[in-house]
Amino acid sequence: HRHLSLVRAPDIQTILVAKQRRPLPPPAVDNPSRALSRSPPARCMLKKSWNYGLRFAAAIMRGFAFPLLFLAGQATAFSFAMPVPRTRMPLTIRGGAGADYITDVPMGPADPILGLTEEFKKDTDPDKINLSIGAYRGDDGKPWVLPSVREAEKRMLERGDVKEYAPIAGFPEFVKASLAFAYGEDSPAVLEDRISGVQALSGTGSLRIGATFMSQYMGEGTPIYISDPTWGNHLQVMEKAGLDVKRYRYFEPTTKGLDYDGMIEDLKAAPEGSIILLHACAHNPSGVDPSPEQWKAISDVCKEGNHVVFFDCAYQGFATGDARADAFAIRLFVEEGHNLMLAQSYAKNFGLYGERVGCLSIVCKSTEEKDRVNSQLKRVIRPMYSSPPIHGAGIVQEVLGCDVLRPQYYEECKSMADRIAEMRVLLKAELIATGSTLSWEFITEQIGMFAYTGMTKDMCEKLINKHHIFLTKDGRVSMAGINSKNVKKIAAAIHDVTQG
């Protein structure tokens, strides 16, 4: 009976009266909003609840045990001895707009790179050329899947690898192989097991995890310095993570080379304890990398300012054709004592664009510190995407972990870099052959997947609209989209818009 006294009286009354097929009595209060002010004392309601309880028990005896017990349980959750008015409260949705909030969502701007790909697909010209996206193509203009990757997939299929969830931090063997790939198998930091590493969603995911981690432990609003120019997504990733994005000079438009003096001056002027984002190799979009001596000076400036170095390594193997040599800056900074952070991507150098394979690592002072950092990185990952995809990571793990496939991969990676270097030579020769009086030496001096031409936005739009050659409007050209069949057309079109 104590439990029955908590049930809202009108609900039980309605049930019992309905059973006897008698009309409901009029409500006790004409104005429902005044129901509480006219209600009897609680003890009177308890007595009435006793009567309702007896009537409820009678209903059970008549065969209504299960439905009434269900209703009583539902009512008990909402009634606690005090009378409740028999009025329904309107449902309110937080935010004010309610179900119509989508009506006012504005159209977002197209991505400056991926949006061009959509425009390229819509273009009906049969001779159109896409030089906008950073994805490798063979001389036939088609994507190339590395034979070592195919072999790794074949082995995984024959082995019957299952599709279970990966751990939050990804496959340990993949992370181990990634650390050895970037830092070197003989790196003291690797051998001493003091590098925290987690599998991530390619380079973008690695950058976002790292930025979020730094925002949490260095403080939201911590300044992060990125090169001018840089990959377009760097700015958004860092801002979304709560960091304060600043710029340092990097590219010299006149020489189309490195603005080394400007870079050093800006890094020295950065507040103590800032984050410095550096491209490990094959700088995107400029294709300009510091020399070994310049890297040493950059390291010294970062140490003097007590800065945290964050390397973005998306093109290891594409700069010189030697994946080991392309890790020079990373390994130098570790030797110099930096507790750096590294974002790795396997999209370009393994051709695993759609597999979203990457690794984030942080060099620590001890194994104990590494374990603590790893535990917090997992806490960043878990609410983001829970655990990473497994197929692409399994391929990288298979290739780098095999004494047969690993050297085969290094040769295949070199062949991609060599083809791009050949296209640089050929494009420069064809531009000179057009009669252009401009200097095109920078094309062969720059390295990696891109050539930063210095063409203006108007020139780029003319290339797109008149010649159906698609490129980003900052003048960046993807050398991977150039081949022996289209290079003459590209050179002639560039000569036309530059009026050299």
Side-chain angles (χ1 to χ4, degrees):
H1 296 302
R2 177 174 176 269
H3 292 293
L4 293 175
S5 68
L6 300 178
V7 179
R8 285 171 55 180
D11 296 335
I12 297 178
Q13 184 183 20
T14 301
I15 295 169
L16 295 175
V17 173
K19 172 64 179 175
Q20 297 174 13
R21 300 184 183 279
R22 292 190 302 212
L24 285 170
V29 180
D30 294 334
N31 185 357
S33 66
R34 300 177 59 192
L36 282 174
S37 64
R38 295 189 182 184
S39 299
R43 60 183 181 180
C44 295
M45 285 305 299
L46 288 171
K47 289 181 180 180
K48 286 189 176 184
S49 297
W50 172 266
N51 293 332
Y52 294 140
L54 293 176
R55 296 172 73 177
F56 181 74
I60 293 175
M61 296 301 292
R62 294 190 185 104
F64 287 89
F66 289 108
L68 289 177
L69 283 173
F70 173 77
L71 291 171
Q74 295 295 311
T76 299
F78 298 97
S79 304
F80 297 90
M82 289 297 292
V84 179
R86 293 174 56 195
T87 56
R88 290 175 179 250
M89 297 299 293
L91 177 64
T92 58
I93 301 177
R94 294 179 180 179
D100 294 330
Y101 78 98
I102 297 177
T103 305
D104 298 325
V105 174
M107 176 65 71
D111 183 90
I113 298 176
L114 300 181
L116 279 171
T117 302
E118 294 302 315
E119 290 184 32
F120 175 79
K121 291 177 180 178
K122 294 175 184 177
D123 192 305
T124 57
D125 189 279
D127 297 322
K128 62 185 178 181
I129 300 172
N130 190 354
L131 302 181
S132 64
I133 195 165
Y136 181 80
R137 300 289 184 265
D139 196 56
D140 58 0
K142 297 179 181 180
W144 185 51
V145 179
L146 277 62
S148 58
V149 167
R150 286 292 193 206
E151 177 60 27
E153 284 186 308
K154 178 183 176 183
R155 293 182 183 184
M156 293 164 65
L157 184 62
E158 291 175 348
R159 236 182 2 243
D161 287 4
V162 296
K163 303 298 182 182
E164 294 291 321
Y165 288 121
I168 296 173
F171 292 138
E173 289 302 313
F174 164 80
V175 173
K176 180 180 178 181
S178 295
L179 300 184
F181 185 62
Y183 297 97
E185 295 178 355
D186 57 349
S187 167
V190 171
L191 297 175
E192 294 164 12
D193 190 27
R194 54 181 177 87
I195 303 179
S196 170
V198 294
Q199 183 183 333
L201 305 182
S202 200
T204 305
S206 302
L207 289 164
R208 181 56 192 270
I209 294 169
T212 301
F213 178 83
M214 287 190 290
S215 182
Q216 288 180 356
Y217 291 96
M218 295 182 68
E220 191 169 339
T222 297
I224 180 168
Y225 283 75
I226 63 177
S227 64
D228 185 14
T230 191
W231 178 51
N233 217 16
H234 277 153
L235 179 66
Q236 299 180 74
V237 170
M238 300 306 159
E239 285 184 340
K240 292 290 185 183
L243 299 174
D244 183 18
V245 177
K246 307 289 185 181
R247 296 279 192 161
Y248 61 83
R249 284 169 284 176
Y250 190 85
F251 183 73
E252 172 51 58
T254 304
T255 63
K256 297 181 178 59
L258 179 66
D259 184 358
Y260 173 71
D261 292 337
M263 179 183 184
I264 292 296
E265 184 178 345
D266 289 346
L267 294 183
K268 285 183 176 180
E272 183 179 358
S274 297
I275 305 165
I276 310 298
L277 182 65
L278 300 169
H279 297 233
C281 61
H283 183 275
N284 178 10
S286 73
V288 176
D289 284 357
S291 67
E293 294 76 22
Q294 289 170 335
W295 274 125
K296 177 66 170 64
I298 293 168
S299 170
D300 292 342
V301 170
C302 290
K303 287 173 69 176
E304 290 168 6
N306 194 31
H307 299 317
V308 176
V309 175
F310 192 174
F311 272 111
D312 182 5
C313 186
Y315 297 93
Q316 187 178 349
F318 266 87
T320 65
D322 185 341
R324 300 174 185 86
D326 288 351
F328 170 82
I330 298 169
R331 299 178 185 186
L332 170 68
F333 275 61
V334 174
E335 290 175 6
E336 294 284 308
H338 293 274
N339 291 326
L340 61 83
M341 183 178 286
L342 169 66
Q344 291 173 264
S345 169
Y346 290 99
K348 309 296 194 298
N349 52 5
F350 269 73
L352 298 174
Y353 305 97
E355 298 291 354
R356 314 311 295 148
V357 192
C359 181
L360 174 77
S361 55
I362 304 175
V363 179
C364 302
K365 295 182 178 68
S366 65
T367 300
E368 185 272 336
E369 185 176 84
K370 177 210 74 173
D371 291 339
R372 285 188 283 109
V373 169
N374 233 48
S375 71
Q376 295 300 332
L377 289 175
K378 291 177 186 178
R379 295 188 67 190
V380 172
I381 292 169
R382 178 61 170 158
M384 273 191 185
Y385 55 85
S386 194
S387 65
I390 63 174
H391 186 72
I395 292 172
V396 174
Q397 177 180 318
E398 185 76 25
V399 171
L400 294 182
C402 175
D403 291 338
V404 175
L405 292 182
R406 186 171 58 255
Q408 178 184 336
Y409 159 74
Y410 282 126
E411 289 300 317
E412 292 164 358
C413 184
K414 184 177 185 303
S415 72
M416 290 191 287
D418 287 347
R419 196 192 83 77
I420 289 175
E422 290 171 8
M423 290 303 104
R424 289 184 179 277
V425 173
L426 190 56
L427 177 61
K428 185 177 79 171
E430 291 294 342
L431 282 165
I432 294 172
T434 63
S436 174
T437 58
L438 300 176
S439 173
W440 299 102
E441 291 300 319
F442 69 88
I443 292 178
T444 51
E445 291 171 354
Q446 295 173 3
I447 57 176
M449 186 170 280
F450 303 107
Y452 207 50
T453 64
M455 287 188 289
T456 66
K457 181 180 178 181
D458 289 342
M459 293 175 183
C460 295
E461 288 179 345
K462 191 175 180 181
L463 277 174
I464 295 170
N465 299 325
K466 180 181 177 180
H467 297 283
H468 304 275
I469 297 174
F470 290 76
L471 73 165
T472 56
K473 295 178 183 180
D474 60 356
R476 188 192 78 168
V477 169
S478 174
M479 296 303 302
I482 300 177
N483 56 59
S484 58
K485 302 175 186 64
N486 64 19
V487 66
K488 285 183 180 292
K489 176 182 176 177
I490 294 170
I494 292 176
H495 176 53
D496 176 54
V497 302
T498 56
Q499 299 180 356

